[in-house]
Amino acid sequence: MNVRVLRTELKRSLAPGAGVAALATTSALLYLISEPWSDTTTAWTGQWTSMALWTRTLLFYLWPFAIGVGALQGLRDHRSKISELLTSTPRPPWHRAATLAGTTAFALAAAFVSLILVGAVQVLAHTGYTHLGWLPISLVGVLALVAGAVLGMGAARALPSVLTPPVLAMSAFVFTAVLARTATDSAPGAPGAEPTPLVLLSPAVEEVPNTLVTLSASVHLGQTIWMLGVAATGFALLVAAAPRTRLLALAPVLAGAALALLVLPSDPRRMFVVDEAAAKPVCDGSVCVSRAQQARLSGLVGPGKEALRLLHGALGGRAPVMVRENTSVLPDGATPRWSRTTVLFDFDDDMFAAAKGEEVTRALIAQGMAPGCSPVGWSTFGNDQLAQTVAAGWVLGDLEPLPGTGSAALNRDVVTRVRPVWEELRALPQAQQRARINAMRAAALSCAGDAFEALKGGPSR
């Protein structure tokens, strides 16, 4: 299809309007709705891989939309009542099908690429870590939209009814929703709540679990095979005229599904995998962040080294000697793993997300003294945070609420609850203070006891 034919088809079809509608609605979702894609380290404009994955989540809506638009386009000849006239012309059926499919596919792909370009411009302004590992994620998304549009056209050509477009669009939506329900809990050690292989037949990504993970190569390959089968069936239905030929046209999609399930990983740990390049540490002395977050390193060096100095003054030889972003990726519900020699922190932790200026030092001290033991993915407030408040106050000599605690009323309540424990601790002889602090750290670092109870002198287990 040359440029002149494409231009003519764009003028006489609904493809341009569909592309504009797709771009407008997805942009509205990303910019007007406050979701995890807007305010965490995995924000869609924060990192390249996160941007690609979040735009793929929009295929929950865009893929059924593409199938429905394709079906509307596929009914054009039937609505005009010229189907028999076109079949009597010497122009090959596949040529007419390619022209029709190419126009709509081009418009929808252009809308999705435009959305990616909008995100890419913002990502460039937010990170210094640039790579091409995100491209396969986005390219599979483009292929899915093209395949969906072609499938919709072929199905509408085979079943020319005014009900075909809405039924196909709703069926596609139900298909992705049902596949999403097949997700299971992660296997031990797997990053995030991972899906079964069946859910990977959906072109949409359910979530972005962590800025340091990406889809594996086997996922890209399996989804590409599946979408090529979908596109091949759609195109074959566009060309087919006889019922028997239309039945044979279903072979590519069935073969594609079978081959894809053979290629797609069955082990959750091979679906989302850690991006080793993104997780590689970038350090300034004793303070390190991941390569993906290297733009934040300069603002962390000062507070990090000050926190290490104060911890050494309080704990002596037992103090941590490094501050490092936690790049280990554990499944939701897993028990965190901490180090005695390194202060491990997460930029998405409420305490660090809210910390500004000198509050970063207090947050790092609290984390180094008594890291929290809430299961991964859980957001709780309890004895772990109370222990951190007392421990940071013991090191700094003043009792203040930690950043990210919540409202002013909650901050006052926290200080009221922990002040008796803090005053009792400071009134003890130095040796007993150290004993309680050591017991608290042992409970916190092992996640095998109650750090706050240890501070109060009670049993830590």
Side-chain angles (χ1 to χ4, degrees):
M1 181 170 60
N2 59 37
V3 176
R4 181 180 59 82
V5 174
L6 175 62
R7 185 168 59 248
T8 302
E9 279 293 320
L10 287 173
K11 288 180 179 179
R12 63 195 292 257
S13 72
L14 55 80
V20 171
L23 179 59
T25 52
T26 51
S27 298
L29 286 173
L30 290 171
Y31 284 106
L32 300 181
I33 299 179
S34 179
E35 288 289 339
W37 58 61
S38 60
D39 56 4
T40 65
T41 58
T42 57
W44 84 287
T45 56
Q47 297 291 337
W48 291 102
T49 301
S50 299
M51 181 268 292
L53 288 171
W54 279 125
T55 52
R56 281 281 298 274
T57 65
L58 297 176
L59 293 184
F60 275 115
Y61 153 73
L62 274 182
W63 197 58
F65 176 82
I67 292 177
V69 167
L72 281 174
Q73 188 78 324
L75 288 176
R76 187 179 67 182
D77 295 345
H78 177 74
R79 291 195 305 267
S80 303
K81 299 180 180 180
I82 59 173
S83 299
E84 293 183 3
L85 175 63
L86 291 176
T87 55
S88 66
T89 62
R91 190 179 182 189
W94 69 265
H95 195 279
R96 293 196 306 272
T99 302
L100 181 65
T103 305
T104 305
F106 173 79
L108 292 172
F112 192 69
V113 170
S114 297
L115 183 69
I116 293 171
L117 291 176
V118 170
V121 170
Q122 296 177 83
V123 171
L124 281 172
H126 286 97
T127 182
Y129 174 53
T130 302
H131 62 101
L132 296 178
W134 61 275
L135 270 177
I137 301 172
S138 295
L139 290 176
V140 171
V142 173
L143 176 60
L145 288 178
V146 171
V150 176
L151 179 65
M153 292 179 210
R157 181 67 62 85
L159 300 170
S161 168
V162 70
L163 296 177
T164 299
V167 169
L168 284 178
M170 184 56 66
S171 298
F173 181 79
V174 171
F175 175 76
T176 56
V178 169
L179 287 182
R181 297 293 296 175
T182 66
T184 59
D185 292 335
S186 305
E194 305 296 347
T196 63
L198 278 178
V199 80
L200 295 177
L201 293 179
S202 168
V205 175
E206 187 176 1
E207 63 176 345
V208 182
N210 191 291
T211 190
L212 299 178
V213 301
T214 186
L215 292 172
S216 65
S218 57
V219 172
H220 299 322
L221 179 59
Q223 291 182 334
T224 298
I225 293 172
W226 162 235
M227 286 303 156
L228 287 175
V230 170
T233 287
F235 193 79
L237 288 172
L238 266 177
V239 176
R244 182 177 180 181
T245 310
R246 288 170 179 167
L247 189 61
L248 290 174
L250 299 177
V253 71
L254 297 177
L259 288 174
L261 289 174
L262 290 176
V263 173
L264 291 170
S266 57
D267 185 348
R269 285 164 290 202
R270 293 177 52 231
M271 296 178 188
F272 277 109
V273 295
V274 176
D275 186 340
E276 298 294 343
K280 185 178 180 180
V282 177
C283 302
D284 185 334
S286 55
V287 180
C288 300
V289 298
S290 67
R291 192 178 176 193
Q293 299 292 342
Q294 62 185 6
R296 299 192 180 199
L297 179 59
S298 59
L300 188 68
V301 171
K305 291 183 177 179
E306 177 65 9
L308 291 177
R309 184 186 69 81
L310 292 170
L311 286 170
H312 181 74
L315 299 176
R318 292 176 173 265
V321 295
M322 286 193 67
V323 170
R324 181 168 62 84
E325 181 186 356
N326 191 359
T327 56
S328 63
V329 181
L330 299 175
D332 286 349
T335 301
R337 301 171 186 170
W338 304 117
S339 168
R340 291 183 178 274
T341 59
T342 303
V343 179
L344 297 172
F345 72 95
D346 189 337
F347 283 113
D348 275 339
D349 185 280
D350 291 342
M351 183 167 58
F352 291 96
K356 307 293 181 184
E358 294 181 356
E359 291 179 336
V360 178
T361 300
R362 181 177 289 271
L364 288 170
I365 290 173
Q367 185 71 5
M369 291 290 289
C373 288
S374 297
V376 174
W378 293 22
S379 181
T380 60
F381 186 91
N383 281 2
D384 287 347
Q385 288 71 30
L386 299 181
Q388 288 180 331
T389 304
V390 173
W394 181 77
V395 173
L396 294 171
D398 62 342
L399 189 63
E400 296 288 342
L402 297 174
T405 303
S407 64
L410 181 58
N411 286 338
R412 289 193 297 270
D413 180 63
V414 169
V415 172
T416 300
R417 291 175 63 185
V418 302
R419 185 173 293 280
V421 179
W422 180 70
E423 291 178 345
E424 178 188 351
L425 178 66
R426 287 175 59 85
L428 293 173
Q430 191 67 28
Q432 293 185 32
Q433 290 185 39
R434 295 265 182 167
R436 289 196 183 185
I437 290 294
N438 289 338
M440 174 207 69
R441 295 197 74 224
L445 290 169
S446 65
C447 289
D450 191 318
F452 190 54
E453 289 298 322
L455 276 177
K456 292 191 290 187
S460 61
R461 294 180 180 275

